[in-house]
């Protein structure tokens, strides 16, 4: 399990058969996490994008940490639902490209 996943309680250890952990703050974290990407600016995390496979559709969930405030809790725009993994990946790649243009480091 990645440090990021453990930090946010995204998945229980155990691989593909592991059940999703309890949702945070009313978010519906169910289904299998396909991948996640993180954007940081000046060493601070600003965005986490997660893609889940849910009932044949792909759902992208976002955690956005505003840089212009002292807010600790992230904003949760979305979720964004796509018919295929390719569509969801395209959405995430476009968002990450925009964040790169804004000076963020992507991982």
């Amino acid at each position: 399990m990645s440090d990021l996943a453990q930090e946010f309680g995204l998945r229980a250890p155990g691989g593909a058969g592991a059940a999703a952990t309890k949702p945070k703050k009313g978010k519906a974290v169910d289904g299998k996490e396909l991948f996640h990407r993180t954007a940081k600016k000046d060493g601070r995390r600003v965005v986490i994008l997660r893609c889940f496979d849910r009932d044949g559709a792909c759902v992208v969930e976002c955690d956005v940490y505003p840089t212009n405030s002292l807010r600790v809790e992230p904003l949760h725009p979305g979720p964004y639902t796509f018919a295929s993994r390719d569509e969801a990946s395209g959405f995430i790649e476009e968002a990450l490209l925009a964040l790169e243009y804004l000076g963020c480091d992507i991982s």
Side-chain angles (χ1 to χ4, degrees):
M1 175 182 334
S2 73
D3 292 338
L4 182 64
Q6 188 172 18
E7 179 181 340
F8 287 95
L10 298 178
R11 307 266 311 150
T21 59
K22 291 182 182 177
K24 303 180 305 175
K25 304 261 181 180
K27 291 179 66 178
V29 179
D30 57 356
K32 178 184 175 192
E33 181 178 354
L34 301 173
F35 61 92
H36 67 268
R37 300 290 183 264
T38 302
K40 292 183 179 181
K41 174 112 181 184
D42 300 326
R44 285 184 58 193
R45 187 178 309 133
V46 292
V47 175
I48 300 171
L49 297 166
R50 291 182 308 279
C51 184
F52 293 92
D53 181 15
R54 293 192 187 139
D55 300 325
C58 283
V59 178
V60 175
E61 292 184 349
C62 308
D63 291 338
V64 178
Y65 298 85
T67 59
N68 59 353
S69 72
L70 296 175
R71 182 182 175 101
V72 177
E73 292 294 318
L75 302 172
H76 302 290
Y80 305 100
T81 304
F82 299 91
S84 71
R85 182 177 179 160
D86 288 340
E87 290 177 6
S89 294
F91 172 81
I92 290 174
E93 293 305 316
E94 290 280 332
L96 294 176
L97 182 60
L99 290 163
E100 278 187 280
Y101 287 146
L102 294 171
C104 293
D105 298 314
I106 308 301
S107 60

